[in-house]
Amino acid sequence: ANKRKENQIMTDSDKLIFMGNQIRNRMKECGLTELDLSKRTGIHYQLIGKYIRGVVNPGFLNLDRLLRELDMSMGDLQMK
């Protein structure tokens, strides 16, 4: 039901939700909670929650902290 037509352009909201899902999936793989990730990155756990729900667009520095801690790259956040 949520299949997207190949020629349909993703909105900014779609991109944030996709990015948040990628981060959430990696957190699960690593066995990390939002609070765990918060302690490791210095980013407030409520803000991390907003990132993974796609409500807030993380700034570059926070995104860099998250990706480093989760051993991810920017390529991991792109649709394939």
Side-chain angles (χ1 to χ4, degrees):
N2 286 338
K3 287 191 176 179
R4 182 176 309 283
K5 293 180 182 176
E6 287 186 29
N7 62 351
Q8 186 176 354
I9 296 173
M10 287 183 72
T11 65
D12 287 345
S13 178
D14 292 334
K15 292 174 187 175
L16 288 176
I17 291 169
F18 179 81
M19 178 182 68
N21 286 335
Q22 296 299 98
I23 292 171
R24 178 187 290 118
N25 291 340
R26 181 66 179 147
M27 287 171 61
K28 285 182 183 178
E29 289 174 6
C30 295
L32 296 173
T33 66
E34 292 172 21
L35 188 56
D36 296 330
L37 195 54
S38 173
K39 289 176 182 177
R40 292 176 178 211
T41 61
I43 302 169
H44 197 279
Y45 75 95
Q46 289 178 330
L47 190 53
I48 290 174
K50 290 179 182 181
Y51 295 156
I52 64 176
R53 289 191 311 276
V55 175
V56 173
N57 185 2
F60 177 78
L61 295 178
N62 281 352
L63 183 58
D64 183 60
R65 289 181 189 146
L66 291 171
L67 294 179
R68 286 176 187 269
E69 189 59 43
L70 295 170
D71 194 27
M72 296 175 74
S73 69
M74 287 297 289
D76 295 324
L77 302 180
Q78 297 177 338
M79 292 191 75
K80 309 222 180 303

